[in-house]
Amino acid sequence: MPIFKTIRQTAATGLLSEHRLRVLVAKGECPGIYTGNRFLVNTTALSEQLENESKKAVKHNEEK
């Protein structure tokens, strides 16, 4: 089950800084939903997204 948190709450977990989360939301790259004027981050999906990106980076570096 996905867990939704505000940007500030998500930043407090240490996944990413508040600024970086806001940049991702502005670009449309952060998983989550708007409720009114507040964006709720799907922290489960964000963790998976970050894990996949880090695996791509490691794989890319190993190919060099």
Side-chain angles (χ1 to χ4, degrees):
M1 172 157 291
I3 299 170
F4 291 91
K5 295 183 178 184
T6 64
I7 291 174
R8 190 160 286 164
Q9 290 170 335
T10 304
T13 67
L15 284 173
L16 290 172
S17 69
E18 187 174 339
H19 174 73
R20 183 66 182 143
L21 287 167
R22 291 187 189 283
V23 169
L24 289 176
V25 170
K27 291 170 125 180
E29 296 176 3
C30 187
I33 57 171
Y34 275 100
T35 56
N37 66 347
R38 188 169 299 233
F39 188 83
L40 297 178
V41 178
N42 181 339
T43 56
T44 307
L46 179 63
S47 295
E48 291 172 6
Q49 180 179 331
L50 293 173
E51 185 174 342
N52 290 337
E53 287 181 20
S54 67
K55 286 180 181 178
K56 286 181 190 175
V58 169
K59 187 176 180 180
H60 178 72
N61 286 336
E62 288 176 352
E63 292 174 357
K64 287 184 176 182

